[in-house]
Amino acid sequence: MEKGNLQKVYFKNDENWYTNTIDLKQVYSSVHAQATSYGSSANLLINEMLANLLELAFQRKLILSQPFIITDYGCGRSKAANILAELVAENTKLISRLQSNGVKLEKIIQILSPKIAELDAKEISSLDRVMTYKHITVQRYDLGIPEFSTKPEQRADIVFCNDVMEHIPQDAISSFVAELTSAGKYVVASISLRDAVNYMAVPTKLLLENALKVSEPANDGIVLTKDISGDFIFSLHVSVFPKEKWQSILGDGWFLLDAQDYTACSAMNFEPTAEYKTFKKELIAQLGFADFIPFPTTLGSRYEKDPILYRRTALMQPEKHLRKLNVLEEYPESAFKKKERMESLAFLAYFGVQIAQNAKGLWYIVSVPDNLLDRLSELEKASKIGASTDADVRKKTKEIINL
């Protein structure tokens, strides 16, 4: 990401348009310093990361019983790669035996799930830049965290790059992808397809320093909007594209599949087998979709305490449910599909969001009511009356929406 640290932005102030640049390295260093949990979303996707590793072993691209290296690229402080390495290191013989006996991926994940939960619950006293679990080494690299900001010395066998691509300016993506492929033989990247919930509020005075006046915004940057707080909002996702656009950016050597986080996709630089593609759908149906944009917001969370964050979270709900509906269109009819589809349709209908399907069967938004935020806020308050746990909130929400 070193060559793409600067993001060009446009903003309007006093009826005039200006342009400036924002140093992304400074942004992420600041975010990581303020929020030590930032970058830990991969912890919810360990099952998918394990499936990627098992797929490579199934294709004989990786031998799990022999020494190999995992690099977590742009990892933040996620412990997912460490959990994965320890899990495989401690259960190599079991995994090899199951694969040799032709046990399906879904069944192997089911067998290992209790062990994943056990490791996930275990505290890791500190995350070092390089850690070894028997014959498996984990390397960490993140430009925004001083202790992880040195690039790994060794080329990895597999690189995991979770929720990083969308943080790279569009004109720097190709060089970043080259970084990834030089960092490891096989690469699996989780790419968010939506705007970021997380943000940076930038005071107008700071933006105006060294800014240049322009007649209008160009296509070489992003346009900042001003929140009712008075600050301009810089989204931490600077490259937000649909899956099809990412496919064209990455090229034919990359294969993109829907992820368990239905607002994201998984990209890999090796072709997955037909069994793996089917398994990914079965895994999601078994575990459910991972939702990183909670609504109603979780009790006592930062979403409740930060008004800007709350507004961003709430207003993303229509696009979030639309994305889920379109992912579900690729699933065979099942109880899982019927349930998930019904819940999203009911949510959108309750708030008066009108949607329709195009000729290809894909859903799109026709209209959103002007008072959407007010209606979302009413549900947020009503669902939390008398609630002491998030399970209470979810139950009350379903009652209100009449699910």
Side-chain angles (χ1 to χ4, degrees):
M1 185 172 160
E2 291 175 356
K3 293 181 180 179
N5 285 347
L6 297 180
Q7 174 62 55
K8 195 169 188 177
V9 298
Y10 293 91
F11 61 98
K12 194 172 188 179
N13 185 62
D14 293 335
E15 301 305 314
N16 294 310
W17 281 102
Y18 295 87
T19 186
N20 209 335
T21 56
I22 289 179
D23 189 324
L24 296 179
K25 182 176 180 180
Q26 289 183 5
V27 168
Y28 295 117
S29 295
S30 174
V31 171
H32 280 299
Q34 293 174 29
T36 56
S37 63
Y38 183 71
S40 62
S41 58
N43 292 351
L44 297 177
L45 302 176
I46 296 170
N47 288 288
E48 285 202 28
M49 293 169 69
L50 173 60
N52 299 142
L53 210 59
L54 295 177
E55 171 69 358
L56 285 170
F58 178 76
Q59 293 191 32
R60 300 188 183 281
K61 297 180 186 295
L62 193 67
I63 301 174
L64 299 183
S65 60
Q66 294 183 5
F68 66 91
I69 299 170
I70 298 171
T71 290
D72 204 334
Y73 211 93
C75 55
R77 290 186 173 85
S78 166
K79 60 181 181 178
N82 301 76
I83 292 173
L84 181 65
E86 187 170 358
L87 173 78
V88 174
E90 295 295 336
N91 296 278
T92 301
K93 291 183 179 178
L94 171 61
I95 295 170
S96 297
R97 185 169 69 252
L98 292 171
Q99 287 193 314
S100 297
N101 291 336
V103 178
K104 298 287 186 181
L105 270 172
E106 180 182 11
K107 183 63 177 176
I108 296 177
I109 296 288
Q110 286 178 347
I111 292 171
L112 294 175
S113 284
K115 299 178 185 292
I116 293 173
E118 183 180 326
L119 289 171
D120 194 18
K122 188 173 74 172
E123 288 293 326
I124 298 178
S125 56
S126 64
L127 288 170
D128 296 328
R129 194 167 67 87
V130 180
M131 300 180 75
T132 301
Y133 302 85
K134 292 187 175 179
H135 60 290
I136 303 174
T137 298
V138 175
Q139 301 178 141
R140 313 179 69 78
Y141 171 66
D142 195 303
L143 191 64
I145 302 178
E147 60 267 35
F148 302 148
S149 60
T150 301
K151 286 191 176 180
E153 288 80 7
Q154 300 186 75
R155 189 167 191 249
D157 296 277
I158 180 168
V159 174
F160 287 107
C161 182
N162 292 309
D163 297 330
V164 179
M165 292 271 208
E166 61 274 14
H167 297 278
I168 309 299
Q170 185 174 355
D171 61 1
I173 290 174
S174 59
S175 60
F176 179 73
V177 171
E179 278 186 36
L180 289 179
T181 52
S182 65
K185 187 173 183 181
Y186 301 110
V187 180
V188 179
S190 174
I191 307 174
S192 183
L193 306 176
R194 58 166 174 79
D195 192 11
V197 171
N198 294 295
Y199 70 94
M200 178 170 247
V202 187
T204 304
K205 182 179 179 181
L206 185 62
L207 267 179
L208 285 170
E209 289 182 8
N210 302 315
L212 297 175
K213 189 181 290 188
V214 294
S215 57
E216 61 183 13
N219 294 324
D220 59 350
I222 57 178
V223 177
L224 304 184
T225 56
K226 186 176 285 189
D227 185 73
I228 59 175
S229 65
D231 288 331
F232 282 94
I233 301 303
F234 177 69
S235 169
L236 297 193
H237 290 181
V238 298
S239 292
V240 179
F241 312 118
K243 186 170 68 172
E244 296 73 23
K245 174 73 178 288
W246 275 108
Q247 182 68 76
S248 66
I249 290 172
L250 295 173
D252 294 337
W254 288 78
F255 301 85
L256 275 62
L257 301 173
D258 290 317
Q260 188 189 349
D261 167 16
Y262 55 95
T263 63
C265 68
S266 294
M268 54 201 73
N269 68 340
F270 59 94
E271 185 171 5
T273 59
E275 179 190 347
Y276 179 79
K277 293 177 183 177
T278 300
F279 162 74
K280 280 294 291 287
K281 287 186 168 58
E282 292 172 346
L283 177 68
I284 293 170
Q286 172 193 337
L287 298 174
F289 287 115
D291 184 358
F292 294 146
I293 319 174
F295 195 86
T297 61
T298 44
L299 291 170
S301 69
R302 61 195 181 103
Y303 300 96
E304 285 188 327
K305 300 170 184 175
D306 182 337
I308 297 177
L309 191 63
Y310 170 74
R311 286 192 291 275
R312 291 177 66 78
T313 301
L315 292 175
M316 285 180 190
Q317 299 307 309
E319 289 288 348
K320 178 185 81 172
H321 284 277
L322 190 76
R323 168 72 183 157
K324 186 169 80 168
L325 287 170
N326 284 328
V327 169
L328 285 168
E329 287 300 320
E330 300 180 14
Y331 276 68
E333 292 301 324
S334 63
F336 167 76
K337 179 176 180 177
K338 182 178 180 180
K339 172 181 173 294
E340 293 288 345
R341 189 173 185 268
M342 178 187 68
E343 288 187 1
S344 283
L345 288 174
F347 185 95
L348 293 169
Y350 181 83
F351 291 104
V353 177
Q354 295 185 0
I355 61 172
Q357 285 178 290
N358 63 21
K360 294 182 179 180
L362 295 178
W363 295 90
Y364 64 94
I365 292 176
V366 176
S367 64
V368 176
D370 293 336
N371 64 343
L372 177 65
L373 184 58
D374 291 336
R375 296 172 76 166
L376 287 163
S377 297
E378 289 171 7
L379 174 66
E380 165 91 355
K381 293 172 184 175
S383 67
K384 293 182 176 179
I385 295 174
S388 58
T389 67
D390 289 323
D392 293 337
V393 175
R394 288 191 293 270
K395 181 180 178 182
K396 184 64 175 177
T397 300
K398 289 187 176 183
E399 290 175 359
I400 294 170
I401 296 177
N402 197 26
L403 283 172

